[in-house]
């Protein structure tokens, strides 16, 4: 280890909470698929910030959009209309059968939005006391409390219990177990089409179509977490499109703004009826700066496929 790296490491240990284990590399610069560390060593970045910098580090077009937006408008809150949100929503909604978007800041938050909308849709629109979310063994949906409860891994909730109620998990690839778990209290089934943190496990199309069919049969919602597999990573814009699925809602984040914090939920017009003004909100969600950059990223993804 160089003296420069050792100094960075020692400062971090003094200054930051110990919630990450890191590789012994302090990165100072990136361009395209290359990174450089504090000692000037060059790397080919095959990690892309955990599926985030899909368009490359400091992509020229994205930098130009960021700079233009930075001189125009950063943030006014969701108390005001912002055309950046509309442009981004138009682009995202053009990629799927969904009718409405909700913007937030991360993958976990996008899943929280899906979970909250599912519960509220059942209560307010369907007039059913259905709140339970069923997820699959091996899934990962994030680290906020709802997403953590959905993830259902004891190793991740160690020391954080109690988690919120209303989550149930069944083994993946077992439709009988899923059907047995569905009760009048079930609001939705939440799946990753390709389980990412679970080990890059693509779930079979027949199984996923079976999951959707069970949701339709029992009149519950079918939700896909596209945070890691979405945004062109599987060859279609969304992973669910590999299998002819029609989820009621999807969550996304990661490469949506190529590294600026940005998440979103897309929902059908029908499911979106579950929210009304005041039901859900976030200060930064869909801010003009992140939305302007995300719109450029989605435009590039659509153009370059
Ligand atoms: C499938 C999936 N969902 C949700 C998340 C959580 O996203 P975030 O870390 O942006 O909260 C992740 C993160 O890796 C993920 O892979």
């Amino acid at each position: 280890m160089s003296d420069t790296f050792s100094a960075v490491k020692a400062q971090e240990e003094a200054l930051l909470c110990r919630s990450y284990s890191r590789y012994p590399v302090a990165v100072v610069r990136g361009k395209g698929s290359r990174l450089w560390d504090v000692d000037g060593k060059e790397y080919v970045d095959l990690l892309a910030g955990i599926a985030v910098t899909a368009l490359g580090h400091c992509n020229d077009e994205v930098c130009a959009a960021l700079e233009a937006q930075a001189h125009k408008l950063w943030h006014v809150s969701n108390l005001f209309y912002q055309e950046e949100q509309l442009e981004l929503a138009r682009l995202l909604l053009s990629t799927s059968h969904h009718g409405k978007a909700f913007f937030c800041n991360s993958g976990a938050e996008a899943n929280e939005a899906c979970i909250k909308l599912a519960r509220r849709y059942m209560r307010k629109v369907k007039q059913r006391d259905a709140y339970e979310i069923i997820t699959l063994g091996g899934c990962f949906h994030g680290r906020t409390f709802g997403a953590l409860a959905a993830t259902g891994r004891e190793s991740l909730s160690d020391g954080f219990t109690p988690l919120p109620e209303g989550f149930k998990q069944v083994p993946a690839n077992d439709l009988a177990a899923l059907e047995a778990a569905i009760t009048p209290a079930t609001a939705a089934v939440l799946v990753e089409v390709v389980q990412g943190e679970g080990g890059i496990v693509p779930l079979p199309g027949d199984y996923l179509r079976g999951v959707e069919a069970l949701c339709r049969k029992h009149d519950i919602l079918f939700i896909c977490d596209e945070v890691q597999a979405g945004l062109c990573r599987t060859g279609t814009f969304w992973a669910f499109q590999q299998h002819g699925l029609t989820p009621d809602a999807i969550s996304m984040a990661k490469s949506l703004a190529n590294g600026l914090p940005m998440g979103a939920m897309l929902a059908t017009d029908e499911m979106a009826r579950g929210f009304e003004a005041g039901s859900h909100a976030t200060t930064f969600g869909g801010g003009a700066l992140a939305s302007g950059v995300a719109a450029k990223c989605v435009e590039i993804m659509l153009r370059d496929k």
Side-chain angles (χ1 to χ4, degrees):
M1 276 179 217
S2 73
D3 290 348
T4 320
F5 173 75
S6 298
V8 172
K9 185 167 184 273
Q11 279 183 52
E12 149 142 355
E13 277 165 15
L15 296 171
L16 303 190
C17 279
R18 303 271 161 83
S19 70
Y20 298 104
S21 53
R22 305 213 197 260
Y23 293 116
V25 179
V27 182
V28 292
R29 192 162 67 84
K31 186 70 193 166
S33 55
R34 306 278 161 159
L35 290 173
W36 288 267
D37 73 11
V38 277
D39 298 310
K41 187 171 170 192
E42 183 175 336
Y43 300 81
V44 176
D45 181 7
L46 300 177
L47 184 66
I50 319 182
V52 169
T53 52
L55 303 175
H57 295 285
C58 303
N59 177 297
D60 288 338
E61 280 183 272
V62 179
C63 283
L66 173 65
E67 196 181 347
Q69 188 63 46
H71 291 287
K72 187 176 172 226
L73 183 69
W74 287 38
H75 175 86
V76 287
S77 88
N78 282 307
L79 295 173
F80 299 95
Y81 295 88
Q82 293 150 76
E83 58 187 13
E84 290 82 0
Q85 293 189 355
L86 304 183
E87 176 61 8
L88 176 59
R90 254 184 238 111
L91 286 164
L92 283 174
L93 293 169
S94 77
T95 65
S96 78
H97 59 282
H98 298 101
K100 295 278 185 292
F102 176 86
F103 297 123
C104 53
N105 312 282
S106 69
E109 270 187 75
N111 284 326
E112 297 284 347
C114 289
I115 293 163
K116 288 182 76 175
L117 180 59
R119 285 186 172 185
R120 208 168 189 283
Y121 172 78
M122 283 297 175
R123 256 74 175 255
K124 303 288 177 179
V125 179
K126 290 282 197 177
Q127 305 279 312
R128 277 159 50 189
D129 190 27
Y131 55 86
E132 208 164 67
I133 310 289
I134 301 179
T135 60
L136 304 181
C139 71
F140 181 79
H141 298 297
R143 302 278 197 142
T144 51
F145 271 110
L148 199 54
T151 298
R153 269 193 234 171
E154 271 176 34
S155 59
L156 302 185
S157 51
D158 184 29
F160 296 127
T161 54
L163 299 184
E165 289 174 19
F167 294 86
K168 203 188 250 182
Q169 201 162 86
V170 296
N173 296 313
D174 186 341
L175 289 173
L178 176 59
E179 187 153 32
I182 296 171
T183 70
T186 308
V189 178
L190 169 63
V191 306
E192 285 168 273
V193 170
V194 180
Q195 294 188 329
E197 299 302 298
I200 319 297
V201 182
L203 298 180
D206 283 349
Y207 168 69
L208 289 164
R209 283 186 290 274
V211 172
E212 177 164 1
L214 283 179
C215 291
R216 304 298 168 224
K217 176 177 162 191
H218 293 275
D219 198 16
I220 58 176
L221 296 160
F222 176 54
I223 304 173
C224 291
D225 178 337
E226 291 271 350
V227 170
Q228 183 148 170
L231 294 166
C232 304
R233 292 193 81 221
T234 64
T236 45
F237 205 91
W238 304 109
F240 75 79
Q241 292 165 334
Q242 297 274 328
H243 305 297
L245 305 169
T246 52
D248 299 287
I250 60 173
S251 54
M252 71 204 66
K254 296 282 192 190
S255 65
L256 186 52
N258 209 48
L260 282 192
M262 182 74 198
M265 168 182 68
L266 299 186
T268 59
D269 282 315
E270 172 60 20
M271 184 173 167
R273 291 169 63 209
F275 277 171
E276 58 197 310
S279 341
H280 189 45
T282 147
T283 297
F284 291 119
L289 188 69
S291 293
V293 172
K296 176 52 75 178
C297 293
V298 175
E299 187 192 309
I300 296 171
M301 290 175 195
L302 284 165
R303 183 193 69 202
D304 296 350
K305 304 190 167 46

